[in-house]
Amino acid sequence: MEGRAPEDVIEDADDDAIDDTRDDTREDPGDNGQGVRTETLLLALLGDQLLDRGVAVSTSSIIAVLHRLGVGEHATRATVSRMTRRDLLRSVRQGRQVFLGLTPRAVAVLRDGRRRLEAEIVDRDWDGRWTMLAFSVPETRRADRHALRTRLGWAGFARLRSGVWVSPRAADVSRILAELDLLDHAEVFRAEATLWTDPARIAQEAWDLPAIAAGYRRFLDRWSGGASGDASAELDALDDLSRRTRLTAEWLLLIRRDPRLPRALLPAEWPGIRAQELFRSLQSQLVGPAEELAAAGLATIPDAQAPRSSAIV
């Protein structure tokens, strides 16, 4: 895939530094304290309603759905423009009406997100071995170093020591390093913890497990009916299409921060397991009603240029 990797796109979707719509987007106390960005909501909606369907959706339909989620028209149009500039969306005109279609790059991003939505939240078949990556990137290549760290985090790695990153799975980082031209600046090892080294302690040092767990607990409170006040009223007021979009967007933000560690490395009663059960149950309940609302409320046209499944890698 040319251009930036899917993990860089998701990083941008949740990055305050590049978000120019935040003044027109209602902040959400139910996620990890940052709110759900307009682009994250839009990616969730597109993944559900456009991916692999061979259609384009009208801009006005997108504006209407996001409006019900508390996003103003100006914020939606600004986000659509930004995603078009970044080769995630393209305009499809029918008469005087403008529709939005997916680019090959957007399909790759959304397929990657779908795989993560379907994956298990914990690894139950760990062989006890780690992938260790040691690298040193010159100061003159700070942008590449930042990109490497972003992609490693998306791939389930975390920094254990300066220049040493670890993952509890057999992760192939050759593509990431090759795309950034950093193969000559890194070494990769497969290793086991031994002697006094406690694998659980490695996990606790490398990842902020309390913060990840807190995010899952907030998700459980919010979506199991435990939320109170404005948060509860907000969810109750949403129709099923909006609820599905919001639910998927919030879950994507949570799992983006979760390395999906082996069960043996996690604290007892890990809340991510219950949160995933709740997410899947709600998704199952919402898919039918949401599809009915989408069929009635989203104006779509066939998109002859929509990427086909066989073209997606």
Side-chain angles (χ1 to χ4, degrees):
M1 182 180 62
E2 296 182 356
R4 300 167 66 206
E7 54 268 29
D8 296 327
V9 175
I10 301 298
E11 181 77 10
D12 278 358
D14 191 40
D15 189 342
D16 287 350
I18 59 90
D19 187 89
D20 58 9
T21 67
R22 53 188 166 176
D23 290 338
D24 202 20
T25 305
R26 185 168 59 213
E27 290 295 303
D28 175 14
D31 109 39
N32 290 333
Q34 298 181 11
V36 179
R37 300 295 167 196
T38 306
E39 186 166 328
T40 307
L41 290 168
L42 186 49
L43 286 170
L45 179 63
L46 296 175
D48 283 339
Q49 302 302 328
L50 263 65
L51 185 60
D52 295 336
R53 299 195 181 199
V55 298
V57 63
S58 72
T59 304
S60 59
S61 294
I62 294 295
I63 290 172
V65 173
L66 294 189
H67 177 75
R68 296 197 294 272
L69 286 164
V71 181
E73 180 177 348
H74 172 75
T76 299
R77 291 190 181 277
T79 299
V80 167
S81 295
R82 185 171 65 243
M83 292 175 69
T84 301
R85 293 194 302 270
R86 291 163 54 204
D87 191 32
L88 291 170
L89 295 174
R90 55 186 175 77
S91 296
V92 181
R93 291 189 175 273
Q94 186 180 75
R96 302 177 65 179
Q97 194 169 7
V98 178
F99 292 77
L100 300 173
L102 300 177
T103 64
R105 184 181 179 212
V107 169
V109 170
L110 295 175
R111 276 189 168 271
D112 184 74
R114 177 179 288 177
R115 285 193 295 269
R116 292 171 184 273
L117 287 172
E118 294 174 349
E120 293 299 321
I121 207 68
V122 298
D123 181 358
R124 300 181 185 276
D125 299 309
W126 187 44
D127 63 2
R129 295 197 295 165
W130 301 77
T131 298
M132 298 185 64
L133 173 67
F135 65 86
S136 178
V137 181
E139 184 64 21
T140 54
R141 300 183 61 182
R142 293 179 63 186
D144 289 333
R145 185 169 60 202
H146 174 75
L148 176 61
R149 290 170 175 170
T150 297
R151 297 189 186 189
L152 288 175
W154 188 253
F157 280 79
R159 186 173 68 174
L160 181 63
R161 301 285 186 274
S162 178
V164 178
W165 288 58
V166 295
S167 169
R169 55 181 56 90
D172 184 357
V173 294
S174 57
R175 180 185 65 84
I176 294 174
L177 294 168
E179 288 179 351
L180 296 171
D181 192 24
L182 291 174
L183 285 170
D184 293 337
H185 296 269
E187 292 78 35
V188 183
F189 308 89
R190 288 284 286 161
E192 294 183 13
T194 187
L195 298 177
W196 61 87
T197 304
D198 180 6
R201 180 176 59 81
I202 293 176
Q204 292 168 7
E205 290 185 9
W207 289 276
D208 190 350
L209 297 182
I212 296 172
Y216 283 129
R217 293 189 183 98
R218 284 192 292 269
F219 180 88
L220 285 164
D221 287 344
R222 177 171 169 80
W223 288 95
S224 64
S228 59
D230 293 341
S232 178
E234 177 192 1
L235 290 181
D236 291 342
L238 297 178
D239 60 51
D240 288 330
L241 176 59
S242 301
R243 284 175 66 86
R244 183 186 181 190
T245 301
R246 184 75 186 205
L247 176 72
T248 302
E250 290 189 20
W251 187 249
L252 281 170
L253 288 180
L254 281 175
I255 62 176
R256 181 195 139 202
R257 295 172 173 86
D258 188 341
R260 300 173 186 266
L261 296 176
R263 187 69 186 90
L265 301 180
L266 293 169
E269 303 299 327
W270 182 244
I273 297 173
R274 288 187 294 115
Q276 183 172 59
E277 291 172 352
L278 176 62
F279 168 74
R280 289 178 171 175
S281 174
L282 292 173
Q283 279 284 74
S284 177
Q285 296 171 30
L286 289 170
V287 62
E291 290 296 318
E292 291 180 6
L293 287 175
L298 293 182
T300 62
I301 58 172
D303 183 4
Q305 298 182 47
R308 302 299 177 184
S309 298
S310 59
I312 299 168
V313 295

